[in-house]
Amino acid sequence: QVQLVESGGDSVQAGGSLKLSCAWTSKYAFTNYCVVWFRQAPGKEREGVAGVFTGGPHIFYAASVKGRFTLSLEKTANTVYLQMNDLKPEDTATYYCAAEGYGGTCRLETSLFGSWGQGTQVTVSS
């Protein structure tokens, strides 16, 4: 029901920065959305990185990225950005954006989302 397009992935050196974008459209005009960035490294489970409940907005982060990553929301454009600073090799992963019309819960949990973007690759070299 929600279509998402991510962009901004690239290869950078450790300590560098990248800014990812996620734009979404929806067949139905929900009042609010839960939008979350996830990442998945080869051989690892998909993990939540940062998310936003657009009604606040209320923004939240995984402990592993807090202080380094910043999520921002451009509500009128249905777009979220993930500014990633001080990147580390362990941040290397495919980054996915997921969104759903807000149903009362917004957390860094893959099970809450049925709509996903195609992913954008972030590679951090040491």
Side-chain angles (χ1 to χ4, degrees), residues 12-86:
V12 297
Q13 298 274 350
S17 298
L18 283 174
K19 187 173 184 177
L20 307 183
S21 300
C22 169
W24 76 91
T25 58
S26 177
K27 180 179 180 180
Y28 302 104
F30 294 100
T31 301
N32 292 301
Y33 293 85
C34 176
V35 186
V36 173
W37 282 101
F38 292 86
R39 66 185 181 186
Q40 188 166 21
K44 294 190 176 182
E45 292 189 355
R46 193 167 295 190
E47 63 170 350
V49 174
V52 59
F53 161 55
T54 65
H58 172 60
I59 297 172
F60 44 95
Y61 300 93
S64 58
V65 305
K66 202 166 187 178
R68 299 189 298 123
F69 290 11
T70 302
L71 187 152
S72 58
L73 168 67
E74 189 173 349
K75 194 171 182 179
T76 55
N78 277 9
T79 301
V80 295
Y81 303 95
L82 187 66
Q83 176 67 46
M84 307 187 294
N85 298 328
D86 190 22

